[in-house]
Amino acid sequence: MPPLPAAGSPPASLAQLFGRGQVDVVDLTATLSEATPVLPLPPEMAAIPPFRLERLAHYDDPAEISLQHAIHTGEHVGTHFDAPRHWWSGRDGEDVAGVPVRRLVAPAVVLDAAEACRRDPDFLLEVEHVRSWQDRHGPLPDGGWLLFRTGWDARSHSQELFLNADREGPHTPGVSPECARWLAEETGIAGFGVETVGTDAGQAFRFDPPFPAHRYLLGTGKYGVTQLQNLALLPATGAVLVVAPLKIAGGSGSPARVLALVPTSAAFG
């Protein structure tokens, strides 16, 4: 590895840090396939179509020299991005194509509640949990992302385990209505990321108001990103999140590739 600059030298560029192997790239994206879990919505809401590939061409077909598929999916399937326009409260906000790219690359912090969620699948993040985290790690990043680690990515291989549903509906962690409102109105974060199927808790259809993460966060021009993987590999602070949804005109959301850039200890000398 090339030596680090001497004291007093200009800071290394991002390209230099990558060239020295001093930045790890962590893939936070779930593989998208026909087995990807999809949230079953209440009967009064439109169903989300699952992901499906339609074969168009294959090398073994007569006269074909390529492999091609058509993609059939809902915007909100797999690891995906929620634009403000996704919810009625953000109807006048940005569609996916209108989101400034600068807001898709931003600092990220991780609040780890995996142990609490293991004990209680209906665990709700409250304002006091976030404030306690800030007492230890500092303020939430203005213009950045709060990523909520629940350990739920370990269930993503199975629709049944991931949704964890019974006759009362899904039982998955999320945020309380008060915390969702507080994050939306009292903090400067750009977005909220989760490992679960959506940014709201499984029982959020029963809350007052229902689906508060969607209502408050998207209603104030913030974003959501869901079904993340590998948050356990990120530090509590110091990562940069790269969220890359498709640039869909009029889109309310999109499957996305989500990456985290994490400086290694060598980057600090």
Side-chain angles (χ1 to χ4, degrees):
M1 177 187 300
L4 291 171
S9 299
S13 69
L14 184 60
Q16 288 173 319
L17 291 175
F18 269 98
R20 296 170 182 161
Q22 293 175 341
V23 177
D24 287 333
V25 181
V26 182
D27 194 354
L28 305 184
T29 316
T31 300
L32 191 58
S33 75
E34 295 184 5
T36 295
V38 176
L39 178 65
L41 294 174
E44 63 272 19
M45 299 178 70
I48 300 172
F51 180 83
R52 180 171 62 86
L53 284 182
E54 177 190 358
R55 175 167 151 174
L56 299 179
H58 194 278
Y59 326 110
D60 297 331
D61 297 336
E64 288 292 350
I65 59 172
S66 68
L67 176 66
Q68 294 190 58
H69 297 97
I71 298 173
H72 301 270
T73 189
E75 296 169 312
H76 302 274
V77 174
T79 302
H80 66 269
F81 178 83
D82 290 346
R85 196 172 294 186
H86 173 43
W87 215 247
W88 66 267
S89 56
R91 67 178 68 188
D92 296 323
E94 299 155 339
D95 64 3
V96 182
V99 175
V101 292
R102 184 64 185 84
R103 301 200 78 193
L104 297 175
V105 182
V109 299
V110 180
L111 191 156
D112 190 341
E115 180 57 29
C117 296
R118 186 188 65 79
R119 296 192 301 267
D120 177 11
D122 290 315
F123 176 85
L124 296 180
L125 187 68
E126 301 285 358
V127 175
E128 56 263 33
H129 296 137
V130 184
R131 285 182 168 152
S132 177
W133 183 95
Q134 290 184 110
D135 289 342
R136 297 191 303 275
H137 301 289
L140 300 178
D142 281 343
W145 289 82
L146 172 60
L147 306 180
F148 179 34
R149 180 174 179 248
T150 59
W152 223 251
D153 56 338
R155 298 168 171 252
S156 63
H157 63 285
S158 163
Q159 171 97 359
E160 180 180 359
L161 291 174
F162 199 58
L163 298 180
N164 194 37
D166 59 19
R167 287 182 294 179
E168 296 181 344
H171 295 275
T172 59
V175 291
S176 72
E178 176 57 27
C179 187
R181 186 205 61 77
W182 182 80
L183 289 172
E185 298 177 2
E186 305 294 334
T187 78
I189 62 170
F192 180 60
V194 299
E195 296 169 321
T196 46
V197 72
T199 53
D200 271 297
Q203 291 288 300
F205 64 97
R206 301 180 185 273
F207 293 177
D208 183 18
F211 305 107
H214 284 79
R215 172 173 176 164
Y216 291 122
L217 290 163
L218 300 181
T220 53
K222 300 182 190 297
Y223 313 124
V225 67
T226 76
Q227 289 185 278
L228 296 172
Q229 303 269 305
N230 298 323
L231 293 187
L233 301 180
L234 302 188
T237 65
V240 171
L241 198 70
V242 180
V243 182
L246 298 174
K247 192 175 181 180
I248 304 171
S252 71
S254 169
R257 192 71 181 257
V258 182
L259 307 173
L261 309 181
V262 184
T264 67
S265 57
F268 300 100

